Amino acid sequence: MNPYQAPLTDMRFLLEHVFDAPTTWAQLPDIADMIDIDTANAILEEAAKISSELIHPLNRAGDEQGVVHQDDNVITPDGYKAVYDQYSQGGWIGLCGDPEFGGMGMPKMLGILVDEMAYGACNAFTLYGSLTAGAALCINAHGSDALKQTYLPKLYSGEWAGAMDMTEPQAGSDLRHIRTRAVPQDDGSYGITGSKIFITGGDHDLTDNVIHLVLAKIADSSGISLFLVPKITVNADGSLGEHNGVTVGSIEHKMGLKGSATCVMNYDNAKGYLIGQANRGLVCMFTMMNYERLAIGIQGLGSAQAAYQMAAEYAKERYQGVAAGGSPTGSDPDPIIVHGDVRRMLLTIRAMTEAGRALSVFTGLQLDLAKFAEDEVKAKAARYVGLLTPVAKAFLTDRGLDATIMAQQVFGGHGYIRETGVEQLVRDTRIAQIYEGTNGIQAIDFLGRKVTGDNLTALNELVVDLKAQMASFTQVSEAQILAVSERFDALIKVAESINAQKLAQPALINACAVDFLDAFGYTLYGFYWLTMVDKVANHEDNNFAEQKGYLAQFYFDKLLPKADYHLAQVSAGDRTTMAMPAELF
């Protein structure tokens, strides 16, 4: 299997030229003294080295070996713990964490690129650190000072891990029906009793403790609250105490992510501590969930990049058939890179992945502004984060799976056998469309809450901003600018129609949401391709600039028109979708 190599040139291009990170960072006092472009490049280079030399070698062997549930222990694949220790000691888990508690305080737009490298190298391994960083973010946002002081330094250092415990057999996306109970104790803690399923990193041998964030209902209450429940209790001096009534019922046997411990967790009067206000647990948990939704979008992006690298190299090395019109070299057979259908797949993967990387960095930028900027800029960025998070999760993972399948297709029959490694990417990436809220639910959230929920305010605001940027472009054609602008106009028009009908047709949003999100995604990617072509004109690497030009033209000719198809589906409404009686299915 080909070793993963981080696309550093493209990542630097996005930071320095497309989104002008140095200027942004210099204008944010909380991070201006901590980060500059030289520091960012050094971090990216080190992360690329770790991803290719430490993390990627775990990928194939970890998939073959998987995790093991033995007695009361969950054992990760060989090599995981040693690499996790090195990764933690390097500060990578706390890269974007709060410096007050031992984090490095780096901006999210940089952290997103580091995350992409790790996911591209090994999906399963990277999930452990991602869940830990998300748990720390939630505790920092909503936990008491005592909880922060006790738990955050150990989470940021990687000595302890985090997990998010929401789902129960009878309560998945609809959490109103969870049965896990919390009983108040005399010391102010709660006794947590119940079971959870599908808990990523629920238990493992990588760290000394696992800190669970558990949704439960306080006795005699119908509301949902959030609790911090350590696997092992923590003494007043910070040392570890006794086991806390937290056990693993079993591990899930999954299609992919074999090296990631997905557990059934049981709580038997385990000591837990309330995070935030009682009956407001979902508000707190969504801090972590939205972090993880973006992280899972990055999983799809990392998988797509890894898939492209494997497929492109294979296409140049695999000889089969002769080029249409005759071999360009006179050889027989030719490498399959000469065939139009192979090129179609490779160009599609790359054009979608590079635009997706731009979306991820832009979303990271908005997170940084929402955290560090002042007043109006801060509030506006927060609105954009809310609007774009479901898009980043759903569109990046849908297109990520598409990319892995196309890469597998480039390999032909060799892509279906384990030795080449590309079939593992397909299996590992498939879950990304499902967990942290299925992509259908992301689309409903996007259209129902983020677009029509505020009567298109945030969407209109974003489109106005993007159009203003397009008006300043000098290195792209007017026809391409018009192509993107007209599709944004069509999106707004369709969204206005849905907004006007949503009360009279309550099933409309649910039936049309996925197509609307896809139409938005393809149009937004058109904007990012315009931006990249405009900014690459003076790039020092002529080959890099030439590549961007070819990819942009392919995107506008072959992929941007997909926005029209999806908008047509939305405009067809929900009548035929909802017409057939349930008993006829």
Side-chain angles (χ1 to χ4, degrees), residues 257-562:
L257 295 181
K258 301 296 182 68
S260 171
T262 306
C263 303
V264 175
M265 300 303 304
N266 297 323
Y267 301 91
D268 183 9
N269 198 32
K271 186 179 286 291
Y273 305 92
L274 183 67
I275 294 178
Q277 298 180 15
N279 301 322
R280 298 282 291 168
L282 285 178
V283 174
C284 301
M285 184 63 99
F286 267 96
T287 298
M288 182 176 184
M289 177 167 282
N290 283 330
Y291 174 93
E292 298 303 337
R293 284 175 171 172
L294 178 57
I296 297 312
I298 305 306
Q299 178 188 343
L301 185 63
S303 293
Q305 178 64 35
Y308 174 79
Q309 291 181 5
M310 296 173 70
E313 184 170 335
Y314 182 80
K316 289 181 282 189
E317 295 176 347
R318 171 66 168 169
Y319 283 76
Q320 197 88 166
V322 178
S327 171
T329 62
S331 63
D332 183 3
D334 281 321
I336 62 173
I337 192 71
V338 304
H339 302 310
D341 187 55
V342 171
R343 285 172 169 250
R344 172 189 63 83
M345 293 185 283
L346 292 175
L347 287 166
T348 298
I349 297 171
R350 186 164 174 181
M352 296 300 294
T353 301
E354 293 188 11
R357 184 172 298 118
L359 168 61
S360 73
V361 176
F362 179 77
T363 306
L365 169 61
Q366 301 312 308
L367 282 164
D368 290 333
L369 294 175
K371 182 177 182 179
F372 297 117
E374 299 293 333
D375 302 331
E376 291 184 10
V377 173
K378 186 186 193 82
K380 180 179 181 180
R383 291 192 294 273
Y384 286 177
V385 169
L387 184 71
L388 292 174
T389 295
V391 178
K393 194 277 183 184
F395 202 67
L396 287 175
T397 58
D398 279 345
R399 305 293 80 79
L401 182 68
D402 290 348
T404 62
I405 291 172
M406 280 186 280
Q408 186 181 41
Q409 193 75 9
V410 170
F411 276 80
H414 293 281
Y416 198 67
I417 58 175
R418 296 178 74 87
E419 283 75 10
T420 58
V422 71
E423 62 85 33
Q424 182 189 340
L425 278 176
V426 176
R427 290 185 289 106
D428 285 353
T429 307
R430 179 64 183 93
I431 184 59
Q433 297 172 298
I434 298 172
Y435 57 12
E436 308 305 343
T438 66
N439 285 0
I441 288 174
Q442 303 303 315
I444 294 166
D445 176 50
F446 175 61
L447 181 56
R449 294 178 181 169
K450 307 303 171 54
V451 174
T452 62
D454 72 349
N455 297 311
L456 280 66
T457 301
L459 179 62
N460 274 312
E461 187 177 26
L462 177 65
V463 169
V464 167
D465 275 359
L466 300 184
K467 283 187 172 183
Q469 292 180 54
M470 287 191 289
S472 70
F473 293 161
T474 60
Q475 302 298 318
V476 294
S477 71
E478 289 293 333
Q480 288 179 333
I481 292 175
L482 186 63
V484 175
S485 181
E486 287 181 340
R487 285 175 172 88
F488 274 130
D489 290 342
L491 274 162
I492 295 294
K493 184 177 180 180
V494 170
E496 288 173 341
S497 175
I498 292 172
N499 197 39
Q501 300 175 69
K502 63 185 180 184
L503 296 180
Q505 296 176 244
L508 180 61
I509 288 174
N510 199 301
C512 297
V514 168
D515 279 303
F516 187 86
L517 186 148
D518 282 347
F520 179 77
Y522 281 109
T523 304
L524 188 61
Y525 278 21
F527 166 79
Y528 288 128
W529 270 114
L530 289 176
T531 308
M532 288 188 286
V533 171
D534 191 69
K535 302 300 183 185
V536 83
N538 298 316
H539 199 276
E540 60 273 13
D541 186 337
N542 291 333
N543 287 335
F544 180 79
E546 188 176 16
Q547 289 169 349
K548 289 294 184 190
Y550 282 122
L551 289 166
Q553 192 60 58
F554 178 84
Y555 186 85
F556 276 92
D557 288 350
K558 299 289 189 177
L559 300 176
L560 180 61
K562 292 188 176 186

Side-chain angles (χ1 to χ4, degrees), residues 130 146 376 417 575 584:
S130 179
E376 291 184 10
I417 58 175
R575 184 180 62 82
L584 296 183

Side-chain angles (χ1 to χ4, degrees), residues 145-167:
D145 289 341
L147 290 179
K148 293 178 188 178
Q149 294 289 347
T150 300
Y151 291 94
L152 287 180
K154 296 289 190 180
L155 289 169
Y156 287 140
S157 70
E159 295 171 76
W160 298 348
M164 177 170 61
D165 300 43
M166 300 173 63
T167 303

